[in-house]
Amino acid sequence: VFVSNTEVIRGTMKKSLLALASGAFILGAAEFVMMGILPQAAAATGVDIPTAGHYISAYAIGVCFGTLILVFGRKVPPKDLIILFMVIALVGNLASAMLVVARFVAGLPHGAFFGTATLIAKTLAEKGKEAQAVSVMVTGQTVANMLGVPAGTLMAEFLSWRLAFGILAAWAAMTIVLASAWIPY
């Protein structure tokens, strides 16, 4: 059976966009889930809620510093950057038991991921469908805000706030596999 190059590229693009959306999900959920689980995290770490607010700030500062990865990594292929960002997200979310430092680490790939993922989505898109491809990628962030953050808050309420970060770390590991398999160089 003959398959045209266009059909192969379209199939690759759709899988690639799913891998990018998965990364957007993990970063979106990692950013906002702390707001819903802050009381449990504060109690577990023995600090008051205003002090625990630094866990949120640490992520945001990590986002700011993380964009520098794009400056220093501009010669690195975008696929390798996406995988690197997911490795950092995996480590940061896995280590979130040591919250302030780990939240900073977890925030590092955030801004740089979205810039690189947008570039990849636009590059893989058919002519005239670049915005649609980017919107598919960003859907991961939307789903994170609608489902991931409330699910993390629910987990913190009934199970453990650490479980939310464990699941985010596992999601980052899955996204590394998806990105490795589906995003072309």
Side-chain angles (χ1 to χ4, degrees):
V1 175
F2 176 75
V3 179
S4 73
N5 285 342
T6 304
E7 291 175 36
V8 171
I9 290 170
R10 274 194 216 133
T12 300
M13 181 182 75
K14 289 177 185 174
K15 288 180 179 177
S16 298
L17 292 177
L18 287 175
L20 295 173
S22 179
F25 176 89
I26 186 336
L27 293 169
E31 178 180 16
F32 294 115
V33 76
M34 181 53 74
M35 293 166 200
I37 66 175
L38 198 59
Q40 292 87 352
T45 56
V47 298
D48 59 12
I49 291 175
T51 302
H54 294 300
Y55 305 149
I56 296 168
S57 301
Y59 189 96
I61 294 167
V63 171
C64 296
F65 279 95
T67 56
L68 295 174
I69 297 170
L70 290 180
V71 173
F72 297 112
R74 66 181 174 266
K75 294 185 181 186
V76 177
K79 176 179 179 169
D80 291 342
L81 284 173
I82 290 294
I83 293 168
L84 171 66
F85 299 149
M86 284 300 101
V87 168
I88 295 170
L90 185 157
V91 169
N93 284 296
L94 195 58
S96 283
M98 304 178 326
L99 282 170
V100 175
V101 173
R103 293 290 293 160
F104 174 81
V105 171
L108 285 172
H110 191 99
F113 173 89
F114 280 99
T116 305
T118 299
L119 174 67
I120 291 172
K122 286 177 62 178
T123 302
L124 293 172
E126 295 177 33
K127 186 90 168 132
K129 297 204 177 203
E130 294 88 350
Q132 182 181 4
V134 171
S135 71
V136 169
M137 179 272 297
V138 175
T139 298
Q141 172 83 37
T142 303
V143 173
N145 288 332
M146 292 173 53
L147 300 175
V149 172
T153 302
L154 195 63
M155 277 183 250
E157 190 69 32
F158 294 105
L159 300 170
S160 167
W161 63 271
R162 287 181 172 90
L163 180 61
F165 290 112
I167 289 172
L168 291 174
W171 197 292
M174 177 191 71
T175 303
I176 291 167
V177 172
L178 295 178
S180 297
W182 293 348
I183 297 175
Y185 278 99

